[in-house]
Amino acid sequence: MKNKSYQLGELEELVLMIVAILQENAYGVKVMDEIFDQIGRKVNISAVHTVLDRLEKKDFVTSYMGGASSERGGRRKRIFKVTTAGSKAIEYVHQTRNELYSKIPKTVLGFQ
Amino acid sequence: MKKKNPPTWALSMLEFFCKERYLEQIEGDLLELFYREESYRKARRKFGWNAIKFFRLRYLKGLDDFEQLTTLAMIKNYLKIAIRTLLKQKSYAAINIVGLAIGLASCLLIFMYITHERSYDNFYPDVDRMYRVANGERGRFTPALLASTMIKDYPQIESATKLNGLGDGNFLIDNINIIQDGGCWADSEVFKVFEMQFIAGDPETALAEPDNLVLTESLAKKFFPDQLAVGQVVELDGDPVKITAVVADPPKNTHFPFKFLMANPNDPNDTYNWTGNNHWTYAKIREGVSPEEVTEKLQELYTNYVGQEIIKFSGHASFEEFVTDYPDRYYGFTLHPVDRIHLYESRFSMGPRGDYKNVIVFTSIALFILLIACVNYINMSTARSAIRSKEVGIRKALGSYRKNIISQFLTESLLITFLAILFALAVAGAALPYFNELTGRIFDYGDLFSVTSLASVVALLIVVGLFAGAYPAYIISGFSPLKALRGHMQQAGKKGLRSGLVAFQFAISIFLVAATMVIYQQVQFMLSQNLGVNIDQTLVMYNGRQLDTKYDLFKTQLEQRSDVLLVTKANGVPFHGFGDWTYQIPAEDNRRTAPLNSFVSPGYEKVLDLEMVEGRFFEEGRTTDTSAVVINEALAKELGWNEPLGKKLARQIEFSVIGVMKDFNYTSLKREIRPMIFRYGNANSEVGMWHQRYILAKVNSPDILKTIGEIEELWDQHVSDYPFDASFLNESFQRQYEAERKFGQVFTTFSLLAIFIAFLGLFALTTFVLQKRFKEIAVRKVLGASVSSLLRMMIKDFTRLVLIGGFIGIAVAFYWLENWLQDYSYRIDLSWYLLALPVLLILVLTWMVVSMKSYKAAIANPSNALKEE
């Protein structure tokens, strides 16, 4: 591992990318919905919160309090967005995956 | 669309546990999910479930999230500073912690001991209705018919039982002889009075037949490791008996620690009379009945039954007349609560005997030790307060309130106490086996940790921590910041108080030393008394009854040996207990007396070196001796006989006095010598073969073990089914003082601990005083003071304190020890040197400690101390 600080869990990686996709619109429920829409995976809301929180601690995302809405019983959203470190992490993960992928012999992948 | 509401419990739960920072977003998301769910019920269920899922460590409120943020931060800070202070003054902290730990460990152990002593028999659910029935006001033995008559005549009595024991039984199981102690002879009422847990068998029938035997669980396992005990037939003292039930072992804290119960059925033939007192009676009274009411009924019962028997002998027309003639006795039976037996009426106990006086003494000692340790803390922290006066000044200048500073110092004392408690638990655990030996009880770690439950440890922590810390904290927090910062060293507290506390420590130490010495002297005194009986080289063989008619042969064979001088038999031997029997004096209006009674044979007086004052002892071959008695001086004195020879005493038949024996000691010197009577023992006497219960032999052998081994071989030839058991009389004599010896040991141990802690404190205090007077000593030296004059100066202060403490300590010791010694018929007198010696001892120790520390300061080169400025 070249850079330890880019170490991400599977769900963390997923949520980080989703936050990047959603741009300025990423908050708990939205992220959960988006994960379902994009790859059809159901994640519990508490798990999403935990992961977002963890990503924030690692400085891959940052957050601010957004506007309130009636459908949320007057509670505000916490909006997440990807930081520079977050973008780099996505970049790094993407690159290493591609590199590794390219090294897999074609015979292994060919007949699936 | 109807209004949808999320479950309120989930919302309030979230609010309760969730951190403020996360709460809004979580609630928002949950609500959003809730409102978009179509099914209301499903939405509510999901909301609750999701809320529960947020119960994760990262969202939980931490200490920082509660209201009083500053208080918590301050406590953290106090603790931090306290730890730093401790680390900065390691030796001082160590002295305090070690002192407190020893004090607390003693407290824990003694607290455990007291809890145990006070818990005796409390486990019986009906213990408040259970009573021991005494004959008269104190008598242990009651008539056999008492228990059954009580039940029959008085509805106030729920149940009553008569017991005999505890004694040994000789079991024969699978051809192996086992002598088992803890045997009680009882009737089936015993299960109604003493609630027992039956593991097998039925309480109704367990002791119904005369050959029934009940075992405790542990004994059943011992006898039959891998079989069911119930239904087995074993031999007990030669008779086949059937095991009918197994009961749970009685707990440790009982005065009735039986191991097996043997049937002792009510005799239908009524062969027992009302004047023979051979049984112990226990009763349970009905709920709502007062013991006073029952005691009244028992007086009535006494008149109805025992009284009628008495007047048959005495010739009075009615019992009332008899009572008028002899009014100086209590005629009746009395009730004694079972849960008081262990500590207050231990003569009734069948198990380990307690003494409430010991409980008081031990509690006091534990508190003394703890007090000394606390005083050390108070002294040292006020003495060292000067060092911290700048700290207090700065704190105050920065806006600290007085209460903050008090909190700081209390935190420190609580921390020290906390560490001391941890240490104390370890010390108490390590000392447990030794403590068991001292107290003669069997405690295990379970007992220790059950008294040191969390609550009591926390209570101890707070009490001791606050007690030791309160005064120093109060004083130090009163420092003036201005003076402190201007560079004035402030010494907290008055010197007078500190001196007073040191004097107080000396007083306790001197009291303990004096008490230890006096107790030791008293025990030595009792051991060295001229007993009037020669207990050296006297072998007592037990179970002589088993020899039956083979005794004469056994005696002849023994006496043929060159190392055995003389052999005799008796049913009463000094230091093994005598029973009292009632006799009447026909010539004097059938006056009654109850001397200690023993059946003996010729030679008894020679083996024990008893001296005759008048007349003669029993002699071999005189057939009339069976109707003769020998009395001791005490009996002659009690009866007021100046010329006792030829006087008559009666018990069924008349006996004439043929000799008077000089008083000799037969029991602990705690007691006066009671009147005694000796009768001629043979197979036809009232006690049958029990007259040869003990066989006594005077032995003079260079190799005592070999002699005993050979005597045992001889015994085995005659008695194949009962093992040989013997001991030397002087061992039994020493056992009399076991309680005093233990008491003395406890006193010595804890006194040493107390003195150790006190001197630990003195050592630290001296060190500190010297540090403060470092410069003064140097200046004095420069000006020409000699080393010895400097030492004298340092010693003078402490000498004064020892003398003041000594005065108080000795005064208290004198009062208390006089009181203690009053229990002993044979006692030492408190002499001046017994009281002066402790003061001298403590004085010398103090001088040693003080001059040891001071000498170093006095011989130091003064330039070292003075060059700094």
Side-chain angles (χ1 to χ4, degrees):
Chain A
M1 191 63 59
K2 282 174 214 158
N3 194 335
K4 253 195 159 174
S5 65
Y6 289 141
Q7 207 174 343
L8 283 173
E10 190 262 349
L11 191 60
E12 284 175 9
E13 189 186 321
L14 188 64
V15 170
L16 183 60
M17 287 187 186
I18 298 288
V19 172
I21 293 167
L22 288 171
Q23 298 219 347
E24 294 289 307
N25 202 12
Y27 69 94
V29 176
K30 191 80 186 170
V31 171
M32 187 182 81
D33 289 347
E34 193 68 19
I35 293 173
F36 184 75
D37 291 347
Q38 296 286 347
I39 61 170
R41 178 166 158 188
K42 275 192 174 172
V43 187
N44 189 276
I45 184 69
S46 61
V48 174
H49 274 258
T50 312
V51 172
L52 283 170
D53 195 47
R54 229 183 279 151
L55 287 173
E56 193 174 8
K57 281 246 166 70
K58 291 182 181 175
D59 276 337
F60 293 145
V61 298
T62 174
S63 71
Y64 57 95
M65 295 309 283
S69 66
S70 65
E71 71 209 23
R72 294 173 58 85
R75 268 77 165 179
R76 289 175 298 166
K77 299 166 182 168
R78 181 174 289 277
I79 312 283
F80 292 86
K81 71 184 200 198
V82 178
T83 61
T84 330
S87 314
K88 277 188 186 154
I90 297 173
E91 192 60 35
Y92 171 79
V93 167
H94 179 65
Q95 210 179 324
T96 42
R97 293 279 159 91
N98 276 352
E99 261 172 47
L100 288 174
Y101 185 84
S102 65
K103 284 174 186 161
I104 301 171
K106 288 286 173 288
T107 46
V108 180
L109 297 167
F111 310 99
Q112 274 187 356
Chain B
M1 192 173 113
K2 65 178 177 185
K3 179 123 176 64
K4 295 206 290 184
N5 280 320
T8 44
W9 65 264
L11 272 174
S12 43
M13 181 189 75
L14 262 181
E15 218 165 295
F16 174 72
F17 75 72
C18 189
K19 280 186 172 160
E20 204 86 20
R21 196 175 108 75
Y22 296 105
L23 186 62
E24 185 169 4
Q25 45 176 318
I26 290 172
E27 276 181 355
D29 278 3
L30 288 182
L31 284 171
E32 191 177 333
L33 288 173
F34 175 80
Y35 288 128
R36 78 180 188 200
E37 181 65 56
E38 272 161 29
S39 147
Y40 180 48
R41 291 177 64 184
K42 200 173 167 191
R44 276 180 70 94
R45 201 181 63 230
K46 268 195 166 172
F47 188 94
W49 191 231
N50 278 334
I52 289 170
K53 281 192 174 168
F54 272 100
F55 193 80
R56 296 179 182 211
L57 209 53
R58 69 172 61 229
Y59 299 120
L60 287 188
K61 278 178 181 161
L63 282 179
D64 315 335
D65 298 290
F66 289 101
E67 289 293 321
Q68 293 138 327
L69 206 67
T70 45
T71 313
L72 239 119
M74 280 316 284
I75 289 176
K76 265 188 183 170
N77 181 263
Y78 293 149
L79 212 58
K80 200 177 274 175
I81 301 292
I83 291 170
R84 284 180 191 166
T85 318
L86 277 193
L87 293 177
K88 223 168 105 186
Q89 323 173 337
K90 286 196 192 77
S91 62
Y92 151 80
I95 285 178
N96 268 330
I97 292 174
V98 169
L100 276 175
I102 294 175
L104 287 167
S106 321
C107 268
L108 286 176
L109 287 174
I110 288 176
F111 183 54
M112 170 182 77
Y113 170 77
I114 295 164
T115 315
H116 174 80
E117 292 295 288
R118 290 172 55 95
S119 72
Y120 268 69
D121 299 304
N122 280 341
F123 57 88
Y124 289 116
D126 299 326
V127 74
D128 53 328
R129 297 192 281 127
M130 288 160 65
Y131 294 90
R132 172 75 180 261
V133 187
N135 199 345
E137 281 162 314
R138 301 173 43 91
R140 300 195 298 154
F141 292 97
T142 49
L145 287 168
L146 178 62
S148 52
T149 312
M150 278 169 80
I151 305 175
K152 195 176 70 190
D153 287 7
Y154 298 107
Q156 290 90 339
I157 307 293
E158 187 176 299
S159 52
T161 185
K162 67 171 201 284
L163 306 178
N164 272 94
L166 301 174
D168 294 354
N170 178 21
F171 284 92
L172 184 67
I173 298 160
D174 295 335
N175 291 319
I176 301 165
N177 265 311
I178 303 169
I179 301 288
Q180 178 60 51
D181 63 344
C184 175
W185 280 255
D187 53 36
S188 47
E189 282 280 320
V190 71
F191 305 118
K192 292 185 193 154
V193 179
F194 294 95
E195 195 166 298
M196 292 179 199
Q197 192 199 334
F198 272 73
I199 289 160
D202 177 10
E204 290 296 322
T205 57
L207 290 176
E209 300 296 323
D211 64 344
N212 287 354
L213 175 69
V214 175
L215 300 182
T216 55
E217 198 182 0
S218 57
L219 199 58
K221 282 213 182 87
K222 177 181 159 190
F223 284 173
F224 304 100
D226 24 57
Q227 296 169 62
L228 271 181
V230 171
Q232 301 274 2
V233 174
V234 297
E235 234 176 69
L236 172 58
D237 294 334
D239 303 316
V241 292
K242 197 172 136 212
I243 298 167
T244 48
V246 173
V247 295
D249 288 26
K252 281 196 283 208
N253 50 350
T254 179
H255 84 284
F256 179 34
F258 66 93
K259 290 177 182 152
F260 63 91
L261 298 168
M262 186 60 212
N264 183 14
N266 289 313
D267 198 324
N269 298 327
D270 196 13
T271 54
Y272 302 104
N273 57 37
W274 277 99
T275 47
N277 301 321
N278 305 309
H279 294 266
W280 297 1
T281 305
Y282 285 87
K284 188 187 273 183
I285 62 175
R286 280 197 201 284
E287 257 170 289
V289 176
S290 75
E292 291 78 23
E293 186 186 339
V294 176
T295 311
E296 249 169 64
K297 297 286 173 206
L298 287 175
Q299 227 169 335
E300 186 184 302
L301 183 147
Y302 194 93
T303 310
N304 291 347
Y305 294 92
V306 188
Q308 298 317 304
E309 291 275 323
I310 289 177
I311 53 174
K312 270 188 222 161
F313 287 99
S314 72
H316 286 80
S318 74
F319 185 59
E320 282 73 27
E321 273 177 37
F322 177 81
V323 175
T324 344
D325 276 4
Y326 303 102
D328 51 343
R329 233 199 103 199
Y330 181 85
Y331 295 98
F333 299 102
T334 48
L335 295 182
H336 301 259
V338 161
D339 54 357
R340 279 177 61 87
I341 287 178
H342 179 71
L343 279 183
Y344 297 93
E345 307 195 74
S346 63
R347 67 183 179 282
F348 290 139
S349 179
M350 298 181 247
R353 292 179 175 199
D355 188 345
Y356 72 98
K357 280 188 195 154
N358 283 0
V359 169
I360 296 171
V361 169
F362 287 3
T363 315
S364 321
I365 296 182
L367 289 179
F368 277 161
I369 294 181
L370 197 57
L371 215 55
I372 290 182
C374 287
V375 165
N376 274 355
Y377 184 85
I378 296 173
N379 266 345
M380 279 189 259
S381 44
T382 52
R384 300 182 72 96
S385 61
I387 295 170
R388 305 188 64 183
S389 74
K390 276 222 172 81
E391 179 196 333
V392 173
I394 289 175
R395 277 174 185 275
K396 281 198 166 174
L398 291 176
S400 216
Y401 291 113
R402 188 168 184 185
K403 73 166 196 219
N404 299 130
I405 294 167
I406 290 181
S407 307
Q408 173 64 53
F409 282 89
L410 283 183
T411 312
E412 280 169 29
S413 67
L414 284 173
L415 181 70
I416 285 201
T417 315
F418 176 71
L419 294 175
I421 283 184
L422 291 186
F423 199 39
L425 281 174
V427 171
L432 201 57
Y434 182 60
F435 184 73
N436 278 341
E437 210 172 288
L438 272 185
T439 55
R441 302 281 185 269
I442 340 154
F443 295 112
D444 52 37
Y445 293 112
D447 296 313
L448 183 61
F449 289 105
S450 69
V451 296
T452 59
S453 62
L454 199 63
S456 64
V457 167
V458 169
L460 203 60
L461 170 73
I462 290 172
V463 170
V464 174
L466 291 187
F467 178 75
Y471 179 72
Y474 172 76
I475 288 297
I476 297 171
S477 65
F479 282 172
S480 146
L482 208 63
K483 279 188 196 160
L485 293 178
R486 214 192 273 152
H488 278 289
M489 289 279 262
Q490 291 184 62
Q491 178 80 46
K494 296 183 191 89
K495 190 162 171 255
L497 180 95
R498 206 157 41 240
S499 305
L501 288 174
V502 173
F504 172 67
Q505 284 185 321
F506 283 136
I508 295 178
S509 304
I510 287 166
F511 169 77
L512 289 174
V513 174
T516 307
M517 280 174 55
V518 170
I519 292 169
Y520 179 78
Q521 288 276 332
Q522 171 67 17
V523 173
Q524 287 305 313
F525 174 77
M526 290 193 289
L527 287 175
S528 65
Q529 271 297 299
N530 181 10
L531 300 169
V533 42
N534 187 353
I535 55 170
D536 297 329
Q537 299 174 318
T538 308
L539 186 70
V540 181
M541 289 167 261
Y542 304 109
N543 314 313
R545 192 169 60 105
Q546 304 295 330
L547 276 168
D548 210 31
T549 52
K550 282 171 274 183
Y551 165 77
D552 288 327
L553 180 59
F554 183 65
K555 173 181 154 86
T556 317
Q557 284 171 330
L558 280 184
E559 283 177 342
Q560 276 163 4
R561 297 175 58 94
S562 60
D563 49 5
V564 176
L565 307 177
L566 202 57
V567 177
T568 189
K569 58 187 174 172
N571 85 334
V573 176
F575 317 111
H576 289 72
F578 290 94
D580 50 1
W581 283 26
T582 305
Y583 288 86
Q584 289 168 330
I585 299 132
E588 297 173 30
D589 214 4
N590 276 326
R591 186 148 73 101
R592 285 149 63 94
T593 178
L596 299 177
N597 185 84
S598 176
F599 285 84
V600 297
S601 296
Y604 185 78
E605 89 286 13
K606 292 198 189 86
V607 171
L608 295 174
D609 268 350
L610 304 174
E611 202 182 311
M612 297 299 291
V613 183
E614 269 182 273
R616 61 171 181 90
F617 200 73
F618 302 114
E619 278 163 21
E620 211 70 71
R622 291 226 199 186
T623 46
T624 52
D625 273 1
T626 51
S627 58
V629 290
V630 173
I631 63 175
N632 71 347
E633 286 174 311
L635 181 58
K637 201 175 151 206
E638 187 205 71
L639 298 173
W641 289 348
N642 291 324
E643 287 166 6
L645 292 189
K647 298 247 175 166
K648 301 262 195 273
L649 287 141
R651 185 182 165 91
Q652 288 152 356
I653 61 164
E654 283 192 359
F655 301 93
S656 54
V657 176
I658 55 161
V660 180
M661 185 179 280
K662 198 171 162 55
D663 282 344
F664 67 94
N665 276 292
Y666 53 87
T667 180
S668 165
L669 289 172
K670 254 184 148 161
R671 298 194 199 107
E672 295 275 7
I673 295 172
R674 284 178 57 186
M676 294 182 101
I677 192 164
F678 293 94
R679 297 212 356 223
Y680 192 91
N682 63 20
N684 302 322
S685 56
E686 255 179 277
V687 288
M689 284 325 275
W690 284 103
H691 81 278
Q692 58 182 41
R693 180 172 181 186
Y694 302 108
I695 294 170
L696 294 132
K698 201 74 173 173
V699 181
N700 184 7
S701 160
D703 184 355
I704 207 76
L705 286 177
K706 182 166 162 274
T707 305
I708 293 181
E710 285 166 11
I711 294 178
E712 181 168 1
E713 271 171 38
L714 191 61
W715 170 281
D716 288 342
Q717 285 169 22
H718 292 296
V719 187
S720 56
D721 59 349
Y722 212 99
F724 178 75
D725 189 10
S727 71
F728 279 96
L729 199 52
N730 49 7
E731 289 167 15
S732 316
F733 167 67
Q734 305 222 346
R735 244 192 314 259
Q736 300 277 314
Y737 302 107
E738 192 72 4
E740 277 78 15
R741 222 170 43 81
K742 286 256 163 71
F743 188 68
Q745 275 178 354
V746 169
F747 234 92
T748 315
T749 310
F750 287 106
S751 304
L752 286 178
L753 284 178
I755 293 164
F756 173 71
I757 302 173
F759 276 88
L760 215 57
L762 184 68
F763 183 79
L765 201 63
T766 319
T767 315
F768 177 75
V769 170
L770 282 172
Q771 267 170 14
K772 254 187 60 196
R773 299 176 77 173
F774 193 41
K775 285 215 173 101
E776 179 199 330
I777 290 171
V779 171
R780 279 174 188 271
K781 222 183 158 186
V782 169
L783 293 177
S786 66
V787 171
S788 64
S789 72
L790 286 174
L791 283 186
R792 265 204 307 279
M793 177 190 83
M794 292 301 300
I795 284 174
K796 206 179 74 190
D797 275 356
F798 286 106
T799 306
R800 206 170 49 105
L801 296 181
V802 172
L803 292 179
I804 295 172
F807 184 73
I808 301 167
I810 288 304
V812 177
F814 186 83
Y815 174 77
W816 185 75
L817 288 167
E818 255 314 306
N819 231 331
W820 183 74
L821 284 171
Q822 253 153 36
D823 285 354
Y824 293 86
S825 304
Y826 293 77
R827 48 160 285 189
I828 53 168
D829 286 318
L830 290 174
S831 60
W832 64 271
Y833 75 87
L834 269 181
L835 298 175
L837 221 54
V839 183
L840 202 64
L841 182 80
I842 297 290
L843 203 56
V844 169
L845 277 174
T846 309
W847 284 343
M848 271 166 60
V849 169
V850 174
S851 42
M852 208 168 64
K853 291 298 295 185
S854 310
Y855 185 67
K856 247 182 171 169
I859 59 163
N861 189 343
S863 64
N864 288 339
L866 295 174
K867 71 180 175 197
E868 276 165 26
E869 264 172 39

